[in-house]
Amino acid sequence: MTEYSAAQQEALNEFKLDIGHLNALSNANRQKLIMLLGEVSGDRGIKVNDLAEKTGLSQPATSHHLKTLRDIGMVDSRQVGNVVYYYLTLDDTIARLERLTRALRRQSQGL
C-alpha cells in the first residue's frame, strides 16, 4: 500500500469529495449548457426548450444534463406557471474547485 504525505492525502480527499462536480464538468454538452446559462443574469433563467435549441440537443437529453447539474448544485430552477426556468448556482462549485486547487498546490509544493 502506498504511503501518502499529509498534503497528498488532503489533495486526494478533496478530489474524492469533488468527483461529482469534476465528472459533471467533463461532459462537453454540460459545458455548453453552463456557458449558455452563464449568459443569463441572476435567477432569471432560461427555458429547457430554448437551451435544447441553442445546443442542438433533444429536449430529453437537455433535461437529463440539467438534472445532473442540478443534482450537484450547479443549476437550479424556478417555475412560473407551467414554464420552468433554469439558472446557474455556482457559489458551491467555485468554493469546491478553489479548495481542490489549494490542496493540489500544497501537494505539488510538498507542504
Side-chain angles (χ1 to χ4, degrees):
M1 190 162 140
T2 304
E3 293 277 335
Y4 294 109
S5 69
Q8 289 172 321
Q9 190 60 52
E10 178 189 5
L12 183 58
N13 290 341
E14 285 295 334
F15 181 80
K16 288 177 184 177
L17 287 172
D18 299 329
I19 195 74
H21 280 73
L22 296 171
N23 283 335
L25 292 170
S26 69
N27 181 280
N29 290 319
R30 288 192 282 272
Q31 291 170 9
K32 288 179 195 174
L33 289 169
I34 291 167
M35 296 303 291
L36 288 169
L37 290 167
E39 295 174 2
V40 179
S41 62
D43 64 354
R44 193 178 87 204
I46 186 168
K47 298 182 287 188
V48 66
N49 288 338
D50 293 340
L51 288 166
E53 182 180 314
K54 290 181 179 195
T55 59
L57 297 171
S58 68
Q59 186 273 328
T62 302
S63 292
H64 169 77
H65 288 299
L66 288 168
K67 180 184 180 322
T68 299
L69 294 171
R70 187 175 180 163
D71 287 348
I72 62 165
M74 289 185 75
V75 169
D76 205 350
S77 65
R78 64 180 177 83
Q79 189 164 347
V80 178
N82 292 332
V83 181
V84 179
Y85 295 88
Y86 289 88
Y87 58 93
L88 288 178
T89 55
L90 290 178
D91 291 343
D92 180 60
T93 299
I94 291 168
R96 285 174 177 271
L97 294 174
E98 286 173 344
R99 280 193 313 269
L100 179 59
T101 301
R102 282 192 305 271
L104 290 171
R105 280 191 185 129
R106 283 191 293 271
Q107 187 274 322
S108 71
Q109 295 168 351
L111 300 176

